[in-house]
Amino acid sequence: MRDKGNYTYQNVDDIVIEGIAESYSNLSFAGEVLEIDPVIKTNYTDLQYEWYMWDPTVEDTYTGWDPSLLDENVAELIGTEKKLAYKVNCPAKRYTVMLKVSSKTNGYTVYASTRFDATTEFSRGFYILKETADGNTELDLSYRDGKPVMADLLTAKGYGPLEGKPLCLGALPGHGYINDEGKVNACHSISITTQKGDIVFYNTENMNKVHDRNDAVFGGLPADEMPYAAFGSGQSNYLLTNKGTVLAYVASSYMVPSGPMGTRSPSTGASTIMMCDGNDYSSVYFWNPKDERIDYTDNVQMGYLNGEYDDNGFSTKGMECLMMGSIWSTSPKKGYSLMKDAAGKKYLYVSELNLLSTPKTVDRKELDASSKLANATLFTTSVKSANYLYFVYDNKLYGYNLSDFTENKDPMTLQGIAADETITYLSYQWQDYEKDTDNNFVHLVIGTQKGDTYRIYMYNIVAGEPRDLVRTIEGKGKLKMCVYMSPVTYNGNKDSASLPN
């Protein structure tokens, strides 16, 4: 057949979408509206607009940008006007929001997408554990920078303060529980322990109680088991008690929830003093006061991945542990434990936190009794930033160089803290979430007390030194500690966050 070449061509105009930010955030079920007003550049006069929203965890099974390829239960049409005005009444999580712009005449279509965080007042921010004036336990939340804290959450939710002084606060992503319908579900939760042996877990979407002593583990905690701390690390959520550790896998983008904790490790005892190695198997190391030894639990085999911790001849029998902290900038990664013997002498134990061999103690340094470090009150390591140990002496912050075991002569400068404030809390905190990069941080955290007022100061770290003051939080009560919670889906070992310390 001869090609006569009588084609008719028609130019297709382009459609350019501008003015959509990389991310948006609104409170859900609070009357807030997600507003996006894009700039559309085109010669078309017959455009139609479709705004879609879906959970990005389904994108692995989704090809192309046409939401018609998605199951109708996955992609929700939330707007048909050029300017989106979506009243946010959806579960708290991260979503993908996409604008589809099409010509009605020829069907030419372009797309633009953005991230959207639907949060509640409880789902993101720094939770703050504190002691009330009558010696009980309460919780505050700093959910937006520059806003006053949401004070006394337990009372506001109708639970009332927990009896006894606060012991520990922990963040647990993807924590399993059995809902009112008897089905296993998962939520991000905050755990609180008290010195009277209480433990309660709260769902950070709505602050509903999901666990207490009766069902924190399968069958409940026996009367003689004292819960110390619960938190997430690697692929597992941990509970540390006077009888050892109990674990459950984290419900994440690739793992299902396992309900209450139920797998016990071989350890015989634990405490609130702990550190993590940050390796692929993300073992947690802790002081076992029952056996007076450093102990550890990996989160893959729910026990000892490479055998029991090896003291390598550096015994800790008869000693008290004052501090543990890890350093990830060395190879292999190191752990440091400050010990005190019966005579009051203090030693810094050095551990190698190996991934593929048994972790062990490799050195021990006796501290000069007259040194500032030997007489310090608060400690933390610069886990990801430098080979440093921070400590508080005489209400001032000092650094201790772990490379050559020397302490700085002069205190570090801390912006914003008044001379009449007493430093009562010190920690090194971070969040490194693959799907929450806008909110990731690494901070040295300083807490102070003045009368019934606490203040929390958070600093960026440069070359091991606290520099810019990036956040200040203030509230009423006696500060115990704080932890950060994100509403974003947790990705197991791809994500990292600091342990309670």
Side-chain angles (χ1 to χ4, degrees):
M1 180 181 292
R2 182 180 177 184
D3 187 346
K4 297 181 180 180
N6 55 347
Y7 298 105
T8 300
Y9 294 96
Q10 180 177 356
N11 290 331
V12 176
D13 258 332
D14 199 4
I15 303 172
V16 178
I17 303 173
E18 297 179 349
I20 297 180
E22 288 187 5
S23 63
Y24 295 85
S25 179
N26 288 95
L27 293 177
S28 192
F29 306 109
E32 293 196 2
V33 177
L34 169 62
E35 294 185 332
I36 306 177
D37 192 5
V39 176
I40 309 298
K41 296 181 178 179
T42 186
N43 290 324
Y44 285 111
T45 59
D46 63 341
L47 297 180
Q48 66 178 15
Y49 303 92
E50 297 169 83
W51 292 90
Y52 290 90
M53 183 174 78
W54 66 85
D55 182 341
T57 60
V58 306
E59 290 178 2
D60 291 340
T61 59
Y62 166 54
T63 58
W65 280 103
D66 185 351
S68 66
L69 299 177
L70 286 168
D71 184 280
E72 63 181 2
N73 294 320
V74 175
E76 178 187 358
L77 180 65
I78 60 172
T80 56
E81 301 294 330
K82 172 178 171 290
K83 179 180 178 180
L84 177 66
Y86 171 67
K87 189 172 183 180
V88 183
N89 290 320
C90 55
K93 65 169 73 174
R94 172 160 289 181
Y95 296 89
T96 296
V97 171
M98 185 184 74
L99 170 62
K100 175 183 177 181
V101 183
S102 305
S103 166
K104 297 178 183 178
T105 301
N106 61 13
Y108 181 67
T109 302
V110 295
Y111 308 88
S113 62
T114 184
R115 300 190 308 273
F116 172 55
D117 282 343
T119 67
T120 69
E121 294 172 311
F122 309 112
S123 61
R124 181 186 293 283
F126 287 92
Y127 278 86
I128 301 155
L129 187 65
K130 66 180 186 179
E131 182 182 337
T132 63
D134 55 358
N136 290 314
T137 295
E138 256 293 358
L139 194 64
D140 290 350
L141 172 61
S142 175
Y143 73 100
R144 277 188 179 172
D145 288 343
K147 296 281 188 179
V149 297
M150 296 176 63
D152 302 325
L153 292 183
L154 305 184
T155 296
K157 287 291 292 183
Y159 303 122
L162 294 177
E163 188 176 351
K165 294 183 178 182
L167 181 59
C168 195
L169 175 69
L172 297 91
H175 186 57
Y177 69 99
I178 299 174
N179 62 21
D180 293 338
E181 299 175 352
K183 297 179 180 179
V184 176
N185 207 339
C187 67
H188 291 350
S189 70
I190 288 290
S191 73
I192 300 174
T193 55
T194 73
Q195 294 183 18
K196 284 203 170 184
D198 206 354
I199 182 169
V200 186
F201 298 75
Y202 300 94
N203 184 337
T204 56
E205 182 174 333
N206 47 31
M207 282 302 290
N208 287 343
K209 185 189 296 185
V210 293
H211 285 304
D212 56 21
R213 284 191 62 100
N214 295 320
D215 60 0
V217 303
F218 286 106
L221 289 171
D224 62 345
E225 186 159 13
M226 172 73 177
Y228 292 135
F231 55 90
S233 179
Q235 297 175 8
S236 296
N237 285 327
Y238 292 76
L239 170 62
L240 274 57
T241 78
N242 62 326
K243 293 188 175 183
T245 64
V246 193
L247 297 89
Y249 278 126
V250 171
S252 65
S253 59
Y254 56 89
M255 299 184 74
V256 297
S258 56
M261 297 181 179
T263 304
R264 290 187 178 267
S265 76
S267 176
T268 59
S271 65
T272 59
I273 301 174
M274 68 192 83
M275 61 183 172
C276 179
D277 59 19
N279 290 319
D280 288 344
Y281 294 114
S282 193
S283 295
V284 171
Y285 301 77
F286 49 90
W287 176 245
N288 180 346
K290 182 177 180 180
D291 291 340
E292 297 175 333
R293 58 169 290 143
I294 298 171
D295 222 335
Y296 86 106
T297 300
D298 75 87
N299 71 77
V300 176
Q301 297 184 0
M302 305 297 196
Y304 303 127
L305 183 65
N306 299 300
E308 291 188 10
Y309 181 88
D310 183 5
D311 68 16
N312 198 26
F314 296 95
S315 176
T316 54
K317 288 295 182 182
M319 291 192 174
E320 175 188 358
C321 185
L322 305 178
M323 181 276 310
M324 296 180 78
S326 56
I327 296 292
W328 298 0
S329 58
T330 59
S331 182
K333 296 175 182 179
K334 297 287 183 66
Y336 296 88
S337 305
L338 183 60
M339 303 286 182
K340 182 174 73 171
D341 68 14
K345 292 182 180 180
K346 294 179 181 177
Y347 303 86
L348 196 61
Y349 280 66
V350 184
S351 305
E352 283 188 355
L353 310 180
N354 292 309
L355 172 61
L356 298 176
S357 62
T358 301
K360 63 183 179 181
T361 302
V362 294
D363 200 1
R364 184 179 82 167
K365 301 290 185 183
E366 182 177 352
L367 300 184
D368 183 338
S370 64
S371 66
K372 297 181 181 67
L373 179 58
N375 294 279
T377 54
L378 301 168
F379 316 87
T380 193
T381 52
S382 185
V383 181
K384 302 176 66 176
S385 303
N387 203 16
Y388 252 75
L389 169 64
Y390 304 105
F391 64 92
V392 174
Y393 169 77
D394 193 26
N395 207 41
K396 297 179 179 64
L397 180 71
Y398 287 86
Y400 185 89
N401 193 325
L402 293 166
S403 299
D404 57 8
F405 301 100
T406 57
E407 65 182 27
N408 295 352
K409 294 181 180 179
D410 299 319
M412 295 179 170
T413 300
L414 296 173
Q415 301 177 26
I417 300 180
D420 61 350
E421 297 177 47
T422 302
I423 298 176
T424 60
Y425 178 61
L426 173 66
S427 70
Y428 176 97
Q429 298 193 18
W430 73 87
Q431 176 187 270
D432 186 11
Y433 269 27
E434 185 180 61
K435 296 185 178 181
D436 201 22
T437 55
D438 295 346
N439 296 285
N440 287 339
F441 63 90
V442 176
H443 294 330
L444 186 66
V445 182
I446 310 288
T448 71
Q449 199 75 38
K450 181 180 178 182
D452 192 41
T453 298
Y454 69 78
R455 293 187 178 90
I456 300 173
Y457 301 87
M458 300 187 183
Y459 301 88
N460 282 336
I461 299 170
V462 179
E465 297 269 349
R467 294 289 174 85
D468 298 330
L469 176 61
V470 295
R471 183 177 289 109
T472 303
I473 302 169
E474 181 177 316
K476 295 295 184 182
K478 187 176 180 180
L479 174 67
K480 178 64 177 180
M481 61 185 298
C482 67
V483 298
Y484 186 75
M485 175 55 78
S486 165
V488 174
T489 301
Y490 185 70
N491 285 321
N493 285 342
K494 293 181 180 179
D495 292 333
S496 175
S498 50
L499 302 186
N501 56 49

